[in-house]
Every structure is written in structure tokens, then in C-alpha cells.
Amino acid sequence: MSRPAEAELIKAAIAASEMAYIPYSNYRVGAALLTLDGDVFTGCNVESASYTPTICAERTALVKAISEGKREFSAVAVVTRDGGSPCGVCRQLLYEFSPSMIVVMADLEGAVHQRATLADLLPFGFGPANLQD
């Protein structure tokens, strides 16, 4: 992915983070998921008072994309106040569709902290191939 394309993906993730519903953690997260055909789906984290139903930004973006028929992804930008990485649940769900996708971790000002493939973030990941005979 080119640096200008990466910058646009981060910009979309930052914009998505502004919609986060975070009354408990105050930890704003935005994600922008890029499909192989160039579409971008965004998401933010949405918290719940009972905690368990809380959904992360990455999964919000992925669910939006899947609900629109998209199944192949090349990259995701995740933004947080400190450039944090996707949680384990998000890594697992993203791995289901695109283990080789690039994960760009940036802060809310757009500074990139890390880049890695999803497979690097989830070594020995479990996916659909594990369930085949």
C-alpha cells in the first residue's frame, strides 16, 4: 500500500473514532478496513454498561463490510490515543478473512506507530483451513 493510500485510510479511521461511544473507558478507537477492490468500511468502538456486549472498532468495520458482501481485505488502519494494536478477538475475526492483510497502528493525530501483517500479530492463527479434512 502506498503512503498516500495509507494516510487516507488512517484519516478515515480517525474520522470514525469521533463517533465512538466510550462513556466507561474513554478509550477512543477508530478503524478503516480496505477491501481488495478499494472500498473502505469504517467503525468505532461502542461500549455497554454490562461490558460484555461492547464491540471494538475493527469488528464494527468488518461486520459492516461482511453485511455488504465483502469478504477479501488488504489492509486495516486502527487508531487509538497511543497507537495500540487490535485486541485478540479482533485479530481472530479479521484472520478469518485475510491473514495476510496489513495492519497499520496509528495514534489519533495520524502518526504511525507500527505496521505488521495480521499473521504476524496472530502467529499460529486458527482459521477456516484448520476445519477442512
Side-chain angles (χ1 to χ4, degrees):
M1 175 171 38
S2 71
R3 294 294 184 229
E6 178 180 271
E8 286 300 310
L9 201 60
I10 291 169
K11 184 177 175 182
I14 291 170
S17 78
E18 293 300 318
M19 304 313 250
Y21 176 73
I22 51 171
Y24 310 107
S25 73
N26 201 33
Y27 191 76
R28 184 174 307 283
V29 183
L33 183 62
L34 178 64
T35 67
L36 286 183
D37 57 3
D39 292 332
V40 174
F41 291 86
T42 60
C44 63
N45 52 327
V46 179
E47 296 177 346
S48 169
S50 63
Y51 297 116
T52 302
T54 294
I55 186 166
C56 300
E58 301 91 327
R59 286 184 285 144
T60 300
L62 182 65
V63 168
K64 287 169 65 176
I66 297 301
S67 72
E68 296 296 323
K70 304 298 181 174
R71 300 288 190 275
E72 297 179 315
F73 308 98
S74 60
V76 64
V78 179
V79 298
T80 66
R81 65 178 173 231
D82 58 356
S85 68
C87 75
V89 173
C90 289
R91 292 177 192 196
Q92 179 60 53
L93 195 57
L94 291 167
Y95 190 93
E96 177 81 12
F97 297 94
S98 299
S100 62
M101 84 166 57
I102 300 297
V103 181
V104 180
M105 295 153 272
D107 60 37
L108 294 170
E109 286 74 47
V112 175
H113 289 241
Q114 295 185 68
R115 287 178 198 86
T117 66
L118 189 55
D120 288 338
L121 293 178
L122 189 63
F124 309 107
F126 184 87
N130 296 97
L131 297 176
Q132 296 176 1
D133 292 336

